[in-house]
PDB file of all heavy atoms in Angstrom:
ATOM      1  N   ASP G  52      35.270-229.750-149.384  1.00 80.00           N
ATOM      2  CA  ASP G  52      35.940-230.131-150.632  1.00 80.00           C
ATOM      3  C   ASP G  52      36.959-229.021-151.079  1.00 80.00           C
ATOM      4  O   ASP G  52      37.454-229.128-152.185  1.00 80.00           O
ATOM      5  CB  ASP G  52      34.977-230.506-151.706  1.00 80.00           C
ATOM      6  CG  ASP G  52      34.060-229.312-152.119  1.00 80.00           C
ATOM      7  OD1 ASP G  52      34.225-228.199-151.477  1.00 80.00           O
ATOM      8  OD2 ASP G  52      33.234-229.455-152.939  1.00 80.00           O
ATOM      9  N   GLN G  56      31.615-221.398-150.821  1.00 84.00           N
ATOM     10  CA  GLN G  56      30.474-220.873-151.542  1.00 84.00           C
ATOM     11  C   GLN G  56      30.458-219.340-151.411  1.00 84.00           C
ATOM     12  O   GLN G  56      30.680-218.802-150.354  1.00 84.00           O
ATOM     13  CB  GLN G  56      29.137-221.443-151.113  1.00 84.00           C
ATOM     14  CG  GLN G  56      29.040-222.962-151.271  1.00 84.00           C
ATOM     15  CD  GLN G  56      29.001-223.329-152.726  1.00 84.00           C
ATOM     16  OE1 GLN G  56      28.521-222.599-153.610  1.00 84.00           O
ATOM     17  NE2 GLN G  56      29.624-224.451-152.993  1.00 84.00           N
ATOM     18  N   LEU G 178      52.267-205.237-147.494  1.00 82.00           N
ATOM     19  CA  LEU G 178      51.084-206.019-147.074  1.00 82.00           C
ATOM     20  C   LEU G 178      50.857-205.849-145.553  1.00 82.00           C
ATOM     21  O   LEU G 178      49.687-205.783-145.096  1.00 82.00           O
ATOM     22  CB  LEU G 178      51.403-207.519-147.433  1.00 82.00           C
ATOM     23  CG  LEU G 178      50.192-208.504-147.252  1.00 82.00           C
ATOM     24  CD1 LEU G 178      49.042-208.074-148.128  1.00 82.00           C
ATOM     25  CD2 LEU G 178      50.671-209.875-147.487  1.00 82.00           C
ATOM     26  N   ALA G 261      40.559-182.225-125.507  1.00 64.00           N
ATOM     27  CA  ALA G 261      41.135-182.203-126.866  1.00 64.00           C
ATOM     28  C   ALA G 261      40.667-183.375-127.700  1.00 64.00           C
ATOM     29  O   ALA G 261      40.286-183.173-128.891  1.00 64.00           O
ATOM     30  CB  ALA G 261      42.677-182.213-126.750  1.00 64.00           C
ATOM     31  N   ARG G 265      38.442-183.321-131.215  1.00 62.00           N
ATOM     32  CA  ARG G 265      38.838-184.046-132.444  1.00 62.00           C
ATOM     33  C   ARG G 265      37.738-184.949-132.956  1.00 62.00           C
ATOM     34  O   ARG G 265      37.445-185.077-134.155  1.00 62.00           O
ATOM     35  CB  ARG G 265      40.147-184.832-132.290  1.00 62.00           C
ATOM     36  CG  ARG G 265      41.357-183.924-132.035  1.00 62.00           C
ATOM     37  CD  ARG G 265      42.662-184.744-132.202  1.00 62.00           C
ATOM     38  NE  ARG G 265      42.747-185.747-131.171  1.00 62.00           N
ATOM     39  CZ  ARG G 265      43.314-185.592-130.034  1.00 62.00           C
ATOM     40  NH1 ARG G 265      43.807-184.414-129.711  1.00 62.00           N
ATOM     41  NH2 ARG G 265      43.372-186.573-129.166  1.00 62.00           N
ATOM     42  N   HIS G 297      28.675-222.369 -87.347  1.00 53.00           N
ATOM     43  CA  HIS G 297      29.609-221.187 -87.375  1.00 53.00           C
ATOM     44  C   HIS G 297      30.960-221.649 -87.792  1.00 53.00           C
ATOM     45  O   HIS G 297      31.508-222.635 -87.305  1.00 53.00           O
ATOM     46  CB  HIS G 297      29.633-220.496 -86.023  1.00 53.00           C
ATOM     47  CG  HIS G 297      28.299-219.932 -85.607  1.00 53.00           C
ATOM     48  ND1 HIS G 297      27.786-218.791 -85.959  1.00 53.00           N
ATOM     49  CD2 HIS G 297      27.379-220.467 -84.730  1.00 53.00           C
ATOM     50  CE1 HIS G 297      26.592-218.542 -85.422  1.00 53.00           C
ATOM     51  NE2 HIS G 297      26.326-219.619 -84.703  1.00 53.00           N
ATOM     52  N   ARG G 305      36.589-221.164-104.346  1.00 68.00           N
ATOM     53  CA  ARG G 305      36.905-220.990-105.758  1.00 68.00           C
ATOM     54  C   ARG G 305      35.763-220.334-106.527  1.00 68.00           C
ATOM     55  O   ARG G 305      34.609-220.454-106.127  1.00 68.00           O
ATOM     56  CB  ARG G 305      37.228-222.378-106.371  1.00 68.00           C
ATOM     57  CG  ARG G 305      38.461-223.027-105.754  1.00 68.00           C
ATOM     58  CD  ARG G 305      38.664-224.407-106.426  1.00 68.00           C
ATOM     59  NE  ARG G 305      38.969-224.300-107.846  1.00 68.00           N
ATOM     60  CZ  ARG G 305      39.074-225.314-108.620  1.00 68.00           C
ATOM     61  NH1 ARG G 305      39.011-226.602-108.153  1.00 68.00           N
ATOM     62  NH2 ARG G 305      39.338-225.187-109.922  1.00 68.00           N
ATOM     63  N   ARG G 310      23.592-221.573-110.640  1.00 81.00           N
ATOM     64  CA  ARG G 310      22.338-221.606-111.404  1.00 81.00           C
ATOM     65  C   ARG G 310      21.121-221.039-110.633  1.00 81.00           C
ATOM     66  O   ARG G 310      21.025-221.453-109.472  1.00 81.00           O
ATOM     67  CB  ARG G 310      22.073-223.049-111.900  1.00 81.00           C
ATOM     68  CG  ARG G 310      23.097-223.586-112.862  1.00 81.00           C
ATOM     69  CD  ARG G 310      22.833-225.021-113.218  1.00 81.00           C
ATOM     70  NE  ARG G 310      23.840-225.564-114.067  1.00 81.00           N
ATOM     71  CZ  ARG G 310      23.780-225.563-115.423  1.00 81.00           C
ATOM     72  NH1 ARG G 310      22.749-224.962-116.000  1.00 81.00           N
ATOM     73  NH2 ARG G 310      24.695-226.080-116.156  1.00 81.00           N
ATOM     74  N   ARG G 320      22.366-218.114-115.112  1.00 81.00           N
ATOM     75  CA  ARG G 320      23.570-218.232-114.263  1.00 81.00           C
ATOM     76  C   ARG G 320      24.149-216.934-113.803  1.00 81.00           C
ATOM     77  O   ARG G 320      23.986-215.920-114.453  1.00 81.00           O
ATOM     78  CB  ARG G 320      24.700-218.969-114.995  1.00 81.00           C
ATOM     79  CG  ARG G 320      24.348-220.310-115.649  1.00 81.00           C
ATOM     80  CD  ARG G 320      25.577-220.839-116.352  1.00 81.00           C
ATOM     81  NE  ARG G 320      25.243-222.040-117.144  1.00 81.00           N
ATOM     82  CZ  ARG G 320      26.159-223.000-117.345  1.00 81.00           C
ATOM     83  NH1 ARG G 320      27.367-222.887-116.857  1.00 81.00           N
ATOM     84  NH2 ARG G 320      25.808-224.043-118.072  1.00 81.00           N
TER      85      ARG G 320
END
Side-chain angles (χ1 to χ4, degrees):
D52 61 1
Q56 296 298 324
L178 190 62
R265 290 195 298 270
H297 297 277
R305 297 176 62 183
R310 296 176 181 270
R320 305 180 188 210

